[in-house]
Amino acid sequence: MDQARGSVVLVHGGFVDGSGWQGVHDALKADGYNVAVVQNPTLSLEGDVATTHQVIEDMPGPVTLVGHSYGGAVITEAGTHEKVKALVYIAAFAPDKGESVATLIADPPPGAPVPPILPPVDGFLFLDRDKFAESFAGDLPRAQAQFMADSQVPWGLDALNGAVSQPAWRFKPSWYLVAADDRMIPPPAQRAMAERIGATTVEAPGSHSVYLSQNAATADLIKQAARG
């Protein structure tokens, strides 16, 4: 393997696990990158950052760190690791110091779709299975979206409310892929976060699952970040 390509670490968001990264993973591997997918427990931001750091430590550096959705909060905190050279946000939250995903979604833009998050049960959140496809995966085959709905990962309130202590994007370069048809994180909110962090930004048609439906565009942006 051409290790000069560098390493990429992929971090999933809430409600899903890391298996959705397979298309991106395969594209990057085929182009000679070392790739690892973090399987975050999504119990707490602190725990997910620690898990991500473990994976980063095992990779030959330098590392390009990629996050989808809530994974953006994880990479914002975990990206302070000395081996991380670049951050890539894929339809992701990009909190500033003291912010959490909960604070970023507290004041949605007027008319924005409301994600079908069910009331918490025992400290965990799920999406309404019957509305999952429309809100999270509207551009995926129905059967695939239904499987994602049926295989949801419980998202802990401690992860949702975990506040960033030191945002890595303040001193490391960042890239952002806006999903133009996202019904979980409104595209205007994505654009605003991308602008705030000074990210090199591209936009692609796609749902919140843009990393599955547009895995080639996602991989291309990651390669751009990895090349610096």
Side-chain angles (χ1 to χ4, degrees):
M1 182 183 294
D2 178 9
Q3 298 208 357
R5 290 286 190 184
S7 297
V8 176
V9 171
L10 306 168
V11 182
H12 65 82
F15 304 120
V16 293
D17 68 4
S19 62
W21 284 116
Q22 184 171 358
V24 173
H25 166 277
D26 292 352
L28 293 170
K29 292 282 284 189
D31 205 20
Y33 289 87
N34 302 298
V35 187
V37 178
V38 180
Q39 291 286 10
N40 279 322
T42 60
L43 300 177
S44 70
L45 179 63
E46 182 182 22
D48 292 339
V49 169
T51 301
T52 301
H53 277 172
Q54 286 183 321
V55 176
I56 292 169
E57 289 284 356
D58 285 342
M59 299 295 284
V63 169
T64 300
L65 189 57
V66 185
H68 169 251
S69 192
Y70 158 73
V74 177
I75 72 168
T76 296
E77 185 80 23
T80 58
H81 193 286
E82 61 184 10
K83 290 177 69 173
V84 174
K85 72 166 188 175
L87 308 168
V88 185
Y89 294 82
I90 308 297
F93 294 102
D96 203 348
K97 182 177 180 178
E99 292 181 343
S100 64
V101 171
T103 62
L104 290 174
I105 65 175
D107 188 21
V114 178
I117 301 175
L118 299 172
V121 176
D122 297 328
F124 293 96
L125 298 170
F126 288 93
L127 289 180
D128 186 326
R129 288 191 186 191
D130 294 334
K131 298 176 181 177
F132 186 100
E134 178 186 359
S135 61
F136 201 101
D139 54 352
L140 296 182
R142 188 75 187 185
Q144 184 179 10
Q146 188 59 58
F147 176 77
M148 292 169 68
D150 292 342
S151 61
Q152 286 182 65
V153 176
W155 191 11
L157 289 175
D158 287 346
L160 178 76
N161 292 301
V164 167
S165 64
Q166 186 180 13
W169 53 258
R170 286 200 168 274
F171 53 96
K172 296 188 181 182
S174 60
W175 282 255
Y176 199 111
L177 175 63
V178 174
D181 308 308
D182 201 324
R183 298 182 65 83
M184 290 291 293
I185 307 176
Q190 294 184 39
R191 297 183 191 112
M193 286 187 287
E195 182 178 4
R196 180 173 72 163
I197 69 176
T200 299
T201 305
V202 299
E203 193 155 329
S207 71
H208 198 53
S209 296
V210 67
Y211 65 112
L212 287 99
S213 63
Q214 297 278 2
N215 55 56
T218 302
D220 285 347
L221 185 65
I222 295 168
K223 293 174 189 177
Q224 182 183 336
R227 290 192 299 264

